[in-house]
Amino acid sequence: MAIEQTFSILKPDAVGKNKIGAIIQRLEESGLKVVAARMIHLSQKEAEGFYAVHRERGFFADLVKFMISGPVMAMALEGENAVQVYRDVMGATNPKNAAPGTIRADFADSIDENAAHGSDSLENAKIELAYFFRTTELCPRTR
Ligand code: IDP
Ligand code: MG
């Protein structure tokens, strides 16, 4: 399997609960490596642009409002099969359906405030990483 990079956001609910460290611990324990990280308080335009694929959905306005309600931690994660590994560690979109032990099962309260974002494909990971990080800000792990 190939070494991939994927994109993660620890959303305002998780940051607000002071769970950044607890969630990153889960990521590291699953073999994922943080290769870039930045706290950012998204503007409305940035959040709308990031979630543009969902703009026709009924939940779009609430999603954007939530995503700009506080700072987030944006990260690039690297590892074997990282896109799928991180989706699995994160759990289902609705925490009520998320498997026990996943980030969303343990740290999220609802489908609206579900603790984490993760790219759903390698192609989207590249687009999302480029939205938040310059190539030179990604630090592939040499040890
Ligand atoms: P994902 O985050 O698991 O990839 P997506 O379908 O891409 O799920 O949806 C993006 C985000 O939009 C979700 O993480 C969640 O915060 C929100 N969302 C998705 N579906 C609903 C819904 O039916 N009601 C409210 N919010 C939703
Ligand atoms: Mg998605």
Side-chain angles (χ1 to χ4, degrees):
M1 249 172 279
I3 301 288
E4 296 175 348
Q5 289 181 345
T6 190
F7 179 67
S8 162
I9 297 178
L10 306 187
K11 296 186 180 183
D13 57 327
V15 173
K17 289 175 188 165
N18 228 14
K19 295 298 179 187
I20 296 171
I23 294 174
I24 291 178
Q25 183 169 3
R26 300 274 183 103
L27 301 177
E28 292 189 330
E29 283 168 358
S30 71
L32 293 164
K33 296 175 176 181
V34 177
V35 296
R38 182 155 58 95
M39 289 293 288
I40 180 172
H41 195 142
L42 293 171
S43 70
Q44 172 123 359
K45 273 196 172 171
E46 286 167 335
E48 286 174 354
F50 181 71
Y51 278 121
V53 296
H54 295 306
R55 65 184 172 273
E56 306 301 336
R57 310 282 289 275
F59 59 79
F60 181 71
D62 286 342
L63 175 59
V64 169
K65 197 170 161 196
F66 163 59
M67 289 300 289
I68 67 174
S69 66
V72 300
M73 175 69 106
M75 295 188 287
L77 305 174
E78 186 177 84
E80 283 222 344
N81 206 20
V83 172
Q84 190 58 49
V85 166
Y86 176 45
R87 289 293 299 194
D88 291 346
V89 172
M90 197 169 58
T93 306
N94 188 340
K96 291 187 176 68
N97 303 328
T102 59
I103 289 166
R104 282 167 164 170
D106 292 346
F107 297 104
D109 296 324
S110 69
I111 191 168
D112 303 275
E113 303 204 354
N114 61 0
H117 165 84
S119 308
D120 61 9
S121 66
L122 194 54
E123 186 190 1
N124 283 335
K126 288 182 175 139
I127 294 167
E128 293 174 1
L129 285 166
Y131 198 80
F132 282 91
F133 295 107
R134 300 169 191 217
T135 311
T136 50
E137 290 174 320
L138 304 174
C139 304
R141 299 278 282 263
T142 52
R143 56 183 291 184

